[in-house]
Amino acid sequence: EMRAFWERHFFSPTALLWDTPLPGAPCWVRALVQAGAEVVFLTGRTESHRKNTLLALRRAGFPGCCRLMMKPHTAQEDARFKRGELVKLSELGTVRLGIDNEPVQINDIAKAFPEAMAIWMHTDHSFRPVKPRSDLPVLRGFLQTTDPT
């Protein structure tokens, strides 16, 4: 019952329009694109949310050339879906960087692409008992500070 409530309200098409990126993320992604990177967003959102997800990304200032890989339906568990999509990512070309806020997903990215830099974005996540690998770099955001502490 809680899952149904979550699906109806948190992942509703209109709620997605209220998403806000981490500060600095749109600028960072634009810089990657300008440097020649192909940026792919691999999300646990479903195809039924594509239109509003793209709209939210554009409103936030992300470039329109980013690829969006989404689940076909809600019944598929996020980690299983994303594991399968990692194979498709490798078919697109060389993966150089992977960033995820979910420990299970960043561990999967690091395993699938050992030559790539895999970074755990230490923000909100599902709090499953999985921990990110201890050898992975950790970011808490995309803004650069001048304070070394």
Side-chain angles (χ1 to χ4, degrees):
E1 186 170 314
M2 181 58 117
R3 173 93 177 160
F5 176 85
W6 187 260
E7 292 287 336
R8 264 193 327 274
H9 298 286
F10 184 74
F11 285 120
S12 74
T14 53
L16 297 177
L17 294 173
W18 292 98
D19 274 358
T20 56
L22 291 173
C27 181
W28 201 78
V29 171
R30 285 192 308 272
L32 286 173
V33 169
Q34 288 172 349
E38 179 178 358
V39 176
V40 177
F41 290 105
L42 175 56
T43 177
R45 292 180 181 181
T46 61
E47 283 292 340
S48 64
H49 295 131
R50 179 174 290 277
K51 179 182 171 187
N52 282 359
T53 298
L54 288 170
L55 183 57
L57 287 168
R58 299 311 172 265
R59 285 181 177 175
F62 287 95
C65 60
C66 298
R67 183 184 301 247
L68 188 58
M69 299 172 84
M70 304 180 84
K71 290 194 316 189
H73 49 77
T74 58
Q76 191 171 21
E77 195 261 332
D78 288 357
R80 181 174 299 216
F81 162 73
K82 288 184 177 184
R83 262 184 223 113
E85 295 300 290
L86 294 179
V87 173
K88 293 178 186 174
L89 279 176
S90 66
E91 294 168 357
L92 294 175
T94 303
V95 175
R96 304 260 186 230
L97 174 67
I99 301 173
D100 206 297
N101 64 308
E102 288 293 341
V104 68
Q105 266 95 44
I106 199 58
N107 291 341
D108 287 345
I109 290 167
K111 182 178 178 181
F113 307 109
E115 301 300 316
M117 177 177 280
I119 301 173
W120 181 46
M121 183 59 70
H122 191 331
T123 59
D124 58 337
H125 57 84
S126 63
F127 295 103
R128 290 184 180 102
V130 176
K131 301 283 185 208
R133 286 182 9 188
S134 62
D135 62 324
L136 298 179
V138 179
L139 284 179
R140 295 185 181 271
F142 292 99
L143 295 179
Q144 183 177 8
T145 67
T146 55
D147 182 0
T149 57

